[in-house]
Amino acid sequence: MWSGDDIYFMKLALQEAEQADRLDEVPVGAVVVSEGALLGRGHNQPVRMDDPTAHAEILALRSAGAWAKNYRLTGATLYVTLEPCLMCFGALIHARVSRVVYGASDPKVGVSRWLATLDGAALNHRFDFQGGLLEVECREQIQSFFKRRR
């Protein structure tokens, strides 16, 4: 089901999540890829940046947009270690990414719980949404962070 490229890029997202962990941020990492090229990367930094929108996905999209000199990332894939929230889902729609691949599910704020509701919505863009890539590694990274915090 998963290609070698998928695994490689999710491992890069896991490295980004490690960066967040070192900053004592919730360890979520993301990378944006198009035609096999890395366009952008990001890791959670809302506390450090005093910015509630500084999620890994948003920062990776900003990085990719700056590199591409375009806010539209048509044809791109975003790899992220944790299922995107509704805010990030909206940004991914606006960026026109073609595919989102995530590692671990987020039962609290993950967007998949809203997909049935959004299915009838007149969204101006849709993308492939796949989860479970390197799920165990992604979940363990988040769980170990919260265990240390307790």
Side-chain angles (χ1 to χ4, degrees), residues 115-137:
L115 290 180
T117 304
L118 293 171
D119 194 38
L123 301 175
N124 59 358
H125 178 72
R126 296 188 187 276
F127 50 78
D128 291 333
F129 193 65
Q130 302 169 297
L133 176 58
L134 301 181
E135 182 176 9
V136 171
E137 294 93 325

Side-chain angles (χ1 to χ4, degrees), residues 41-53:
R41 52 193 332 150
H43 51 273
N44 268 8
Q45 297 186 67
V47 175
R48 185 168 190 246
M49 296 177 79
D50 296 317
D51 180 355
T53 69

Side-chain angles (χ1 to χ4, degrees), residues 12-22 27-29 43 81 141:
L12 289 182
L14 279 163
Q15 290 175 7
E16 285 296 314
E18 289 171 15
Q19 294 276 349
D21 199 349
R22 283 195 282 281
V28 178
H43 51 273
T81 58
Q141 192 172 43

